Every structure is written in structure tokens, then in C-alpha cells.
Amino acid sequence: MSQTSEVAEPAATESERSAAETETGGDETEATATEAETTVTVRCTGHVRTELDVYEFEYTFEGDTLRAFLDELFEDYPQLQDMLIAESESDATHSGWAPTPEELPGTWSKNPVGEQTIAYARILVNGHFNENENGFDTKLEEGDRVALVYPFMFCC
């Protein structure tokens, strides 16, 4: 009984595949490499509205999460990051607030430091605080509403 062996063709390297796609006009790799764009309606209140001098606008960004939205928004409007995002735990709370219990009820959890808003500022997606959804990993869909809330606070 004789054994025949077939000579296997070597696997194409990444550069060879890329070159072959270029020759054939294929851009499947390119299409999957870039993320889809999402357009949301941004609504601003209080100090954010004063800073941007606009109440509502449409904003298109690459990706589909609140994190991707905020990253691009803060590149275009860097002053908003300082207005909304807490740099430390003390920036995220006010001295007059009740202390957080050691064991939190139910499934409630705080966003990690760097993903918390400053005291009194909030980011909402379709009317829900991002903390009550999936934090900065909350998925955004075409036409969603993102509210940037930093109300005016007055005291006697």
C-alpha cells in the first residue's frame, strides 16, 4: 500500500491577504476595522447650557457606548470634562451627603473613580442616570437622548 502525500499550500500572510484584497477591490477588513457611527440628541441644562450656549444639538461619533460618545465630545469640548467628570472620590460627593453604607443594597454599585460625575452633575441616557444603567459602558443607539445636567445651585 503506497502512501501519497499532498503538499499543502502555505497559509497566506496578513500582508499577502491585504495585497490580494487591494487587487480584488475587497475592503471587508477595512469595514470591520472601523466602528459604526451613532448619532444622538444631546440636551444641556444649567452650567453646561451656559458654557455651550445651546440647549440641544445632534452629535455623531464613532462607536456605540457612552464612553465612546464622551471621549469624542470631550475632544471637541474639553471644558465639559472638567465640568462633569470627577477626578477623585471627594469631587463626586458633597460633604453634607449621608455616608455610603459598607454593604450596598441590591445590585447598586458606584461607578469607578474617573467615571463618576462631580457632585450635582449627572449624565442621563434616555432619562436614566448612567449610574443606574451600565455606567460609561451603556450602549447608545441611533436617536438616543443624552442629557448633560449640571444645574444651577443656589443657597441662602
Side-chain angles (χ1 to χ4, degrees), residues 9-127:
E9 298 261 330
T13 65
E14 184 66 28
S15 60
E16 290 171 336
R17 280 191 298 256
S18 179
E21 285 176 1
T22 303
E23 288 175 9
T24 62
D27 58 337
E28 290 176 80
T29 307
E30 220 175 281
T32 57
T34 59
E35 292 188 62
E37 287 188 337
T38 306
T39 301
V40 296
T41 300
V42 181
R43 293 188 176 158
C44 308
T45 66
H47 295 297
V48 177
R49 182 177 180 173
T50 301
E51 183 67 34
L52 295 181
D53 198 29
V54 65
Y55 163 69
E56 182 178 286
F57 60 97
E58 299 290 310
Y59 192 80
T60 301
F61 64 98
E62 267 190 39
D64 64 351
T65 63
L66 183 59
R67 182 183 315 280
F69 163 77
L70 291 172
D71 286 346
E72 283 196 34
L73 186 75
F74 293 156
E75 281 181 28
D76 293 339
Y77 304 99
Q79 70 275 27
L80 292 183
Q81 185 166 359
D82 293 336
M83 266 185 148
L84 296 170
I85 305 301
E87 295 292 321
S88 67
E89 187 68 33
S90 63
D91 292 342
T93 58
H94 186 274
S95 61
W97 291 359
T100 304
E102 286 188 38
E103 197 168 314
L104 300 173
T107 59
W108 189 84
S109 62
K110 292 181 75 169
N111 286 342
V113 174
E115 295 185 17
Q116 296 175 352
T117 54
I118 63 169
Y120 305 114
R122 292 292 176 263
I123 300 171
L124 293 88
V125 176
N126 295 323

